[in-house]
């Protein structure tokens, strides 16, 4: 198969590229390198371009005949999206419409789309399945939900097949050491905990210790990036004999508090990681845990990294020797 990976130089996209290459697929990456890294895409042909530039998309689709598209390009910082909603809607919604239009013109009818647990807003149940109400509380989550709606409409109108994967907390790194998580600024918990273990950086902050959870800190469902990648490939296989727009939640189905993650990192690194307690971060729901039964049943997806310590350990290998 020849697969276009939009955003393939980013954190999750770069793991996808390696996964596709390992299964013998031909991969072209389209990325504007705004947050991605050129080295992260070196298992693929890299085309530098922007979804907001329809001419560069037209030339991309004129130069290649793709069997399917995976779409990882997005701005994804919840806090920034609150202050810069136009930026988020333009990139995440208008950019995706440009991609969908280019696919339609080129006759490419299969898409795997990266969505997020942020579409649920403040959840009503601890375990979140696909039927849980979607009421995003920030422009980032709203922008992803808008695209989900567009994909449902496109299935009816144009016969576009799509699989939308709502990630819970993507974490970890490939064990090869060739790709990993490298964001600047870094807002995610596990990289910040590991930076603290390495020392020399800013003090680790725990945002909020007065939530109604077992130790007062937020509970999240951490899922390894390689497990996310395997779900995408299964998504493409699923579309071979399923038309329509399909949505799946992806997580391990088990929640860990911020303090439990820090404890796991202490065990993995052998460093007595210190932190300070800080006020709650705006927009953080107390508990987000996925029910991924649908992905397991319909896609045949089975996550490999089910232990949070193993996920942290894979990230630790990367953070000790990052390639970029
Ligand atoms: N946290 C800290 N200190 C840090 C970083 C994070 O205490 O330095 C806490 C957060 O407050 C939160 C938990 O650790 O309680 C996890 O935070 P992350 O930033 O790692 O991840 P989020 O749960 O905020 O983000 C994830 C996805 C987003 C998605 C969001 C939906 O990464 O794409 O869930 O709420 F939008």
């Amino acid at each position: 198969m020849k697969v276009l990976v939009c955003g393939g130089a980013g954190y999750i996209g770069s793991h996808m590229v390696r996964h596709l290459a390992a299964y013998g697929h031909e991969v072209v990456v389209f990325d504007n390198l705004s947050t991605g890294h050129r080295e992260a895409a070196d298992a693929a042909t890299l085309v530098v371009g922007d979804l907001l530039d329809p001419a560069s998309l037209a030339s991309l689709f004129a130069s290649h005949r793709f069997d399917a598209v995976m779409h990882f390009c997005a701005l994804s910082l919840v806090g920034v999206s609150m202050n810069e909603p136009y930026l988020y809607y333009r990139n995440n919604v208008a950019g995706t419409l440009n991609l969908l239009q280019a696919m339609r013109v080129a006759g490419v009818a299969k898409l795997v789309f990266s969505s997020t647990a942020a579409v649920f807003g403040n959840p009503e149940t601890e375990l979140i399945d696909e039927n849980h109400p979607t009421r995003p509380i920030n422009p980032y989550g709203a922008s992803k939900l808008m695209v989900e709606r567009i994909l449902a409409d496109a299935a009816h109108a144009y016969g576009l097949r799509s699989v939308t994967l709502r990630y819970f907390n993507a974490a970890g790194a490939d064990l090869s050491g060739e790709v990993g998580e490298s964001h600047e600024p870094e807002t995610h918990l596990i990289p910040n905990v590991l930076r603290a273990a390495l020392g020399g950086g800013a003090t680790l902050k725990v945002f909020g210790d007065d939530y109604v959870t077992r130790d007062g800190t937020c509970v999240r469902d951490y899922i390894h990036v390689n497990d996310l990648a395997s779900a995408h490939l299964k998504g493409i296989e699923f579309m071979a004999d399923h038309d329509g727009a399909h949505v799946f939640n992806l997580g391990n189905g088990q929640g860990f508090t911020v303090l439990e993650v820090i404890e796991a990192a202490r065990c993995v690194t052998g460093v007595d990681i210190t932190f300070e307690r800080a006020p709650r971060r705006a927009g953080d729901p107390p508990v987000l845990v996925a029910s991924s039964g649908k992905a397991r049943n319909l896609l045949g997806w089975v996550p490999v990294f089910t232990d949070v310590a193993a996920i942290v350990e894979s990230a630790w290998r990367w953070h000790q020797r990052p390639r970029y």
Side-chain angles (χ1 to χ4, degrees):
M1 245 182 345
K2 186 166 186 176
V3 183
L4 171 63
V5 180
C6 297
Y11 170 42
I12 305 172
S14 61
H15 286 76
M16 188 72 240
V17 168
R18 290 185 57 81
H19 190 76
L20 285 166
Y23 278 82
H25 299 297
E26 195 183 340
V27 186
V28 175
V29 166
F30 184 76
D31 200 300
N32 66 8
L33 299 180
S34 63
T35 56
H37 305 267
R38 190 176 284 278
E39 307 89 316
D42 57 13
T45 303
L46 173 65
V47 177
V48 178
D50 201 304
L51 293 184
L52 293 175
D53 174 16
S56 69
L57 279 169
S59 123
L60 174 73
F61 279 88
S63 314
H64 301 273
R65 172 100 219 124
F66 297 115
D67 298 295
V69 176
M70 296 183 174
H71 176 23
F72 296 88
C73 298
L75 296 175
S76 62
L77 298 178
V78 169
V80 179
S81 81
M82 300 290 282
N83 299 325
E84 301 280 356
Y86 290 174
L87 182 68
Y88 270 64
Y89 290 119
R90 191 180 311 118
N91 265 277
N92 296 359
V93 183
T96 300
L97 279 170
N98 288 342
L99 172 64
L100 294 175
Q101 177 64 18
M103 288 174 65
R104 191 175 164 224
V105 170
V108 181
K110 289 191 195 124
L111 174 75
V112 185
F113 173 63
S114 305
S115 188
T116 168
V119 299
F120 297 110
N122 284 320
E124 291 168 4
T125 52
E126 286 222 344
L127 212 54
I128 304 171
D129 69 13
E130 290 77 5
N131 298 321
H132 188 284
T134 45
R135 297 194 195 99
I137 55 171
N138 51 62
Y140 168 62
S143 72
K144 291 288 185 177
L145 188 60
M146 284 178 190
V147 173
E148 291 190 11
R149 173 62 198 259
I150 291 167
L151 295 178
D153 292 341
H156 287 293
Y158 311 126
L160 177 71
R161 295 182 177 205
S162 63
V163 163
T164 288
L165 302 175
R166 293 171 176 155
Y167 315 150
F168 280 61
N169 286 63
D174 189 67
L175 300 180
S176 66
E178 289 180 7
V179 286
E181 186 168 13
S182 178
H183 295 126
E184 214 50 67
E186 185 52 78
T187 62
H188 292 115
L189 177 64
I190 291 177
N192 282 345
V193 170
L194 297 178
R195 284 181 183 191
L198 286 168
T203 310
L204 175 65
K205 290 189 172 144
V206 169
F207 298 125
D209 62 359
D210 57 350
Y211 290 97
V212 186
T213 59
R214 50 187 173 268
D215 62 20
T217 64
C218 287
V219 171
R220 293 290 182 272
D221 182 344
Y222 296 90
I223 179 80
H224 196 276
V225 271
N226 281 350
D227 285 327
L228 293 179
S230 73
H232 287 69
L233 191 49
K234 292 202 174 285
I236 290 195
E237 289 160 11
F238 181 79
M239 285 186 280
D241 46 17
H242 293 83
D243 58 11
H246 303 268
V247 179
F248 299 91
N249 293 354
L250 294 184
N252 267 311
Q254 217 189 333
F256 294 89
T257 68
V258 173
L259 297 182
E260 286 165 353
V261 169
I262 295 172
E263 189 49 40
R266 280 186 179 139
C267 292
V268 165
T269 62
V271 178
D272 184 20
I273 301 161
T274 56
F275 60 85
E276 65 186 42
R277 291 171 191 264
R280 291 182 178 198
R281 197 172 65 175
D284 275 346
V287 182
L288 283 174
V289 181
S291 162
S292 296
K294 184 179 173 191
R296 288 168 190 267
N297 293 337
L298 295 187
L299 300 181
W301 175 66
V302 183
V304 174
F305 289 83
T306 52
D307 171 21
V308 78
I311 294 176
V312 171
E313 215 235 313
S314 74
W316 178 233
R317 288 194 194 205
W318 166 260
H319 283 279
Q320 287 172 293
R321 275 181 296 283
R323 248 186 89 217
Y324 43 82

